[in-house]
């Protein structure tokens, strides 16, 4: 990658979490929020050598702890902060209600400080890819604002835009708003519950369960319904000329990707044994950060296209055989990154192995080792490394 350019920035929030464990123990000032998790996902996928190409943008209050800022600096990313001395930092309370960490509730303890394109410094404004967790009406405001600011700054190339919807906004009455916002981004990525919510379909949390739909009262497997709804949603948006990609994150079922130009494929998760899963908090955000930087890296291998950003958009919109393989490869890389996030509460443990060929480890394993295992299983070794 170009060592002088920022590859990825999230417009999500960094939240200082107050974690209440089932044992009664309380952990304070934990790093969380979609901005932090997606940044971490991009950083794991990028690796230590190119860590500076991952941007971390934080809108903080007067009470933002130096320990949290230092933890992010230690990752080697490009950290930029805007501090509002009149406000408290974004803080949340995450309560785990059972020993399996499946039942949890979250609420904000302070008024959230949501980053906007207007606050981005120029080095981050010029990033090749952005992640956002927003309701559709905010996408309709922030994407044009981002593009306008880039144009004013002399940045003419199109960025890769990855949009993750807000869960509570994914209802049938908001379907048209989501379709309209889709047309402004490159990748739309709801999880399977959010996708089903847009269609008003009963939600289940088990792969083994079936879904009963009305008015036909038809019973289908959850995976079948997910793929059918994804095809219907993509068809509705693509009919109006959208050339992007839909990536449905589906927990233990893996994910399903479908593009307007014909790519349609399911991907297994890295961990098939659900006993390994401790806490899935942040896994979806990390997946999308890794997906974004992996698509950018793949696009940079495509000579002859006007810009790296435009190459990403073209790769998603017009997947020739080689491009389809590269998109699949990016999704495999993102799935590997998510595997590190779900193995513990909070951030995965990062260590470095000494020696000439030493590699960065997360939870005692390397990204490359897991990638090679999963790429071999997924494609028989056909994916590029």
């Amino acid at each position: 990658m170009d060592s002088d350019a920022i590859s990825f920035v999230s417009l999500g929030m960094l939240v200082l979490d107050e974690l209440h464990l089932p044992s009664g123990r309380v952990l304070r000032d934990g790093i969380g929020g979609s901005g932090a998790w997606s940044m971490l996902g991009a950083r794991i996928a990028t690796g230590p050598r190119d860590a500076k190409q991952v941007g971390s943008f934080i809108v903080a209050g007067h009470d933002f702890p130096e320990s949290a800022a230092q933890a992010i600096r230690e990752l080697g990313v490009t950290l930029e902060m805007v501090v509002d001395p009149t406000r408290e930092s974004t803080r949340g309370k995450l309560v785990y209600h059972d020993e399996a960490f499946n039942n949890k509730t979250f609420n904000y303890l302070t008024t959230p400080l949501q980053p906007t394109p207007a606050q981005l410094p120029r080095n981050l404004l010029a990033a090749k890819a952005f992640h956002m967790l927003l309701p559709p009406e905010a996408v309709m405001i922030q994407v044009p604002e981002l593009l306008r600011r880039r144009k004013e700054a002399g940045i003419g190339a199109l960025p890769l835009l990855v949009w993750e919807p807000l869960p509570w906004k994914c209802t049938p009455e908001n379907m048209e708003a989501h379709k309209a916002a889709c047309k402004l981004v490159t990748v739309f990525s709801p999880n399977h519950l959010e996708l089903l919510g847009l269609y008003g379909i009963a939600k289940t949390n088990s792969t083994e369960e079936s879904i009963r739909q009305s008015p036909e009262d038809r019973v289908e497997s959850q995976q079948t319904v997910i793929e059918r709804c994804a095809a219907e949603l993509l068809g509705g948006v693509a009919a109006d000329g959208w050339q992007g990609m839909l990536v449905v994150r589906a927990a233990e079922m893996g994910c399903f990707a479908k593009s307007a130009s014909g790519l349609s494929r399911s991907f297994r998760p890295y961990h098939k044994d659900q006993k390994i899963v401790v806490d899935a908090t942040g896994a979806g955000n990390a997946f999308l950060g890794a997906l974004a930087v992996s698509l950018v890296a793949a696009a940079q291998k495509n000579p002859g296209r006007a810009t790296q950003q435009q190459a990403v958009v073209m790769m998603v919109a017009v997947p020739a055989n080689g491009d389809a393989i590269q998109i699949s490869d990016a999704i495999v890389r993102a799935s590997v990154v998510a595997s590190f996030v779900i193995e513990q509460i909070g951030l995965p443990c990062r260590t470095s192995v000494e020696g000439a060929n030493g590699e960065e480890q997360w939870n005692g394993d390397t990204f490359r080792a897991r990638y090679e295992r999963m790429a071999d299983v997924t494609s028989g070794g056909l994916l590029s490394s």
Side-chain angles (χ1 to χ4, degrees), residues 138-369:
V139 173
M140 301 294 287
I141 295 172
Q142 291 203 19
V143 169
E145 179 185 15
L146 174 66
L147 298 181
R148 176 184 57 77
R149 280 209 65 213
R150 286 168 65 93
K151 184 177 181 181
E152 290 173 352
I155 308 164
L158 291 173
L160 170 71
L161 300 176
V162 178
W163 174 36
E164 181 179 359
L166 286 178
W168 53 90
K169 284 283 189 174
C170 292
T171 60
E173 55 268 29
N174 289 320
M175 173 65 87
E176 293 307 313
H178 281 81
K179 286 182 178 180
C182 268
K183 298 169 190 176
L184 300 184
V185 302
T186 321
V187 178
F188 176 47
S189 183
N191 66 30
H192 64 297
L193 300 181
E194 292 157 357
L195 176 66
L196 296 178
L198 285 170
Y199 284 91
I201 297 174
K203 304 170 184 176
T204 67
N205 293 310
S206 171
T207 311
E208 303 302 321
E209 293 186 56
S210 60
I211 298 178
R212 184 173 296 278
Q213 276 198 289
S214 59
E216 299 92 348
D217 209 27
R218 178 173 52 184
V219 176
E220 298 178 289
S221 72
Q222 184 167 211
Q223 188 164 351
T224 299
V225 174
I226 290 167
E227 293 184 8
R228 182 165 50 77
C229 288
E232 184 177 333
L233 176 60
L234 184 75
V237 183
D240 294 329
W242 186 58
Q243 293 187 316
M245 180 166 66
L246 177 65
V247 179
V248 183
R249 295 164 287 114
E252 73 271 19
M253 290 176 284
C255 71
F256 177 69
K258 193 170 183 65
S259 77
S261 54
L263 177 70
S264 183
R265 185 173 179 185
S266 295
F267 296 81
R268 65 182 292 273
Y270 181 83
H271 288 309
K272 294 293 287 183
D273 183 358
Q274 290 302 295
K275 294 179 182 177
I276 297 174
V277 179
V278 174
D279 182 14
T281 300
N285 309 136
F287 175 97
L288 293 176
L291 177 64
V293 294
S294 297
L295 286 171
V296 167
Q300 290 180 297
K301 298 176 183 178
N302 286 301
R305 288 179 174 174
T307 68
Q308 292 161 351
Q309 296 98 318
Q310 289 168 345
V312 175
V313 177
M314 289 172 65
M315 186 172 66
V316 171
V318 190
N321 184 53
D323 287 346
I325 291 176
Q326 290 178 319
I327 292 170
S328 297
D329 181 67
I331 292 174
V332 168
R333 291 175 183 272
S335 300
V336 168
V337 166
S339 76
F340 291 110
V341 173
I342 63 179
E343 295 173 337
Q344 70 290 306
I345 295 174
L347 305 183
C349 177
R350 173 176 165 265
T351 55
S352 295
V353 178
E354 300 297 328
N357 297 317
E359 288 190 78
E360 179 180 63
Q361 291 190 339
W362 299 89
N363 296 345
D365 203 355
T366 67
F367 170 82
R368 171 164 288 277

